[in-house]
Structure formats: structure tokens, C-alpha cells
Amino acid sequence: MLLFHHPMSASSRFVRLVLGEYGENTELQEEQPWQRRPEFLQLNPAGTLPVLIGEAGVAIIGAFAISEYLDETRGAMMRDKRLMPGTPLERAEVRRLIDWFLVKTETDVTRALTRERVFKLQMTAAEGGGAPDSTVLRTARANIRQHMRYVGWLAQSRNWLAGDRLTLADLAAGAAVSVLDYLGEIDWASEPAARDWYQRVKSRPSFRGLLVDRVRRLPPASHYADLDF
């Protein structure tokens, strides 16, 4: 299989974690979505990431569709290691949290920070590149506290974020948090429960590929690859 992704896309990172948990060795192709390459738009007219080319050569588009596809084709055979729980109500909670971290957190925080601090460095002036907007950064940074408090509350209330065991919800949250951690935007000292949960997720073998990611002209925070931080 082939995954079109960007290393600082939380949705792309989520899919990479799911693939890793299910033991899938997938070829990665980095895509700059703002360039709107005609070849990529033929796969996904919306021009968004991630896009997975499955075994049949068919494009599966978007983190939600890809994660459901992988759960149905891989998870069903994984028994207690399946990343979706067994009951409808438990699955509904997992899907709610995936939406929280890949949609709400993306809208409130991650999209603005990655665009202003990462993508603008790689864009030409015609594509919208340039200096970051300090007002946008300030608003996104103010929103981080709310989202990290919620992660901490979930981590204190449950063994994992959606219940007793690791699920897709933890991987969605880990993907979003890892982007913010790369950028050094999280005050871990103020959220010990969230930090303890993230250390557990970060220590999983599926996370290793994310910890070696590097973005041109923007090195990660000094603790980014440390499992004990």
C-alpha cells in the first residue's frame, strides 16, 4: 500500500499509527497539499490528506475512511488487539474522540500552528508563504490549554482515553499532540496526567516512525524524541 501524507499533518500521523499498530509496512509519499499537483488531485479532487492506495489500487480518502477500512480489513482478525471496541456504545465513544482530536483540535489549534509555523516556511509567496501571523498564533496557543486539560481529564478518568484499553481514540489524540509536541507548544509541567498518558503512547513501537520525522528548516523541540521527558 502507498500513503500520501505530510509529516506535520495530524490526520496523516493518525493513519500511520494505525498502520503501525496493525503491523502494515506501507510506502510513504510526502505530499505538499497547497501545491495542488494535478496527479494528486486526480486521486483526491479535494486535495486533502491523507490518501491511502489500497491493495486493489483504489484511493481511500481521509483519516476516518482509512481507519474504518483498516479496522474492517485488519482489526477484525486482531482479537484483543483490535483498535475498535466490541460494543456499539464503546465504538461511538471512540468515534466521538477521533472527531474531537482530528476535527475540533485541528480547527482550534493544530491547523493554525502548522500553517503559520511549518507550511508557510515551505510555501512560495504566491502559495501564501511568508511570516507567521502573530494574532493567529496567539489564539491557537490560548486554545491549547483547554485541549490539554481535556486530555488530562480523560487520562485521569480512564485507563486509556476511551476506556480500558488502547483504541483508535488514543492514536488520534497521540497524532494531534505529537504535532504540538514537535513544535514545543505544550507545557507538560502543567498537565501531568496528560504527560503520563502521552509517555505510554509515545513508547509504543508504532510511534517510532513519527519520532524520527523532521521538517526542513524547523527542527523539533529538544525533548521530542525522548520517551522520558
Side-chain angles (χ1 to χ4, degrees):
M1 293 189 293
L2 171 65
L3 180 69
F4 290 87
H5 79 114
H6 189 282
M8 295 303 285
S9 157
S11 291
S12 297
R13 286 181 163 224
F14 168 57
V15 169
R16 290 169 63 191
L17 290 173
V18 178
L19 288 163
E21 289 291 331
Y22 282 154
E24 293 291 329
N25 293 318
T26 307
E27 183 181 351
L28 300 177
Q29 179 164 322
E30 185 172 332
E31 185 70 27
Q32 318 294 338
W34 58 85
Q35 294 179 348
R36 299 188 63 79
R37 288 191 310 115
E39 297 84 357
F40 182 65
L41 293 177
Q42 287 182 349
L43 296 173
N44 178 14
T48 55
L49 293 170
V51 174
L52 180 70
I53 307 300
E55 296 92 339
V58 177
I60 306 165
I61 297 169
F64 292 94
I66 295 171
S67 65
E68 294 279 346
Y69 168 79
L70 292 172
D71 175 66
E72 291 174 5
T73 58
R74 273 74 175 171
M77 298 175 285
M78 298 293 287
R79 298 183 181 178
D80 60 335
K81 293 184 179 179
R82 188 173 187 175
L83 296 171
M84 282 293 273
T87 71
L89 284 177
E90 289 173 322
R91 291 195 294 272
E93 175 65 358
V94 169
R95 291 182 176 113
R96 180 187 75 83
L97 289 174
I98 294 172
D99 184 79
W100 180 280
F101 291 109
L102 297 189
V103 177
K104 182 169 176 55
T105 305
E106 179 79 4
T107 301
D108 292 350
V109 180
T110 322
R111 180 185 301 147
L113 288 174
T114 53
R115 177 177 174 81
E116 297 301 321
R117 293 196 54 195
V118 182
F119 296 163
K120 280 188 172 181
L121 291 176
Q122 302 176 352
M123 293 174 170
T124 64
E127 293 168 337
D133 186 321
S134 59
T135 302
V136 173
L137 290 176
R138 188 161 51 248
T139 301
R141 284 167 174 158
N143 290 333
I144 290 175
R145 292 189 291 271
Q146 170 200 352
H147 285 272
M148 293 309 299
R149 280 196 297 267
Y150 187 49
V151 172
W153 180 83
L154 289 170
Q156 285 181 308
S157 306
R158 304 162 175 180
N159 187 32
W160 293 92
L161 297 191
D164 290 335
R165 62 186 180 88
L166 179 85
T167 67
L168 292 172
D170 296 281
L171 303 186
V177 169
S178 70
V179 171
L180 301 178
D181 193 43
Y182 184 102
L183 298 173
E185 293 284 356
I186 299 175
D187 177 12
W188 288 113
S190 66
E191 294 296 339
R195 183 190 62 225
D196 291 346
W197 161 82
Y198 185 57
Q199 283 180 322
R200 286 198 289 161
V201 175
K202 191 177 182 181
S203 298
R204 297 186 68 82
S206 63
F207 226 91
R208 291 171 185 163
L210 273 59
L211 296 180
V212 298
D213 278 346
R214 295 295 182 270
V215 176
R216 181 171 56 87
R217 297 172 59 190
L218 185 65
S222 59
H223 66 269
Y224 173 70
D226 294 340
L227 301 182
D228 185 15
F229 60 99

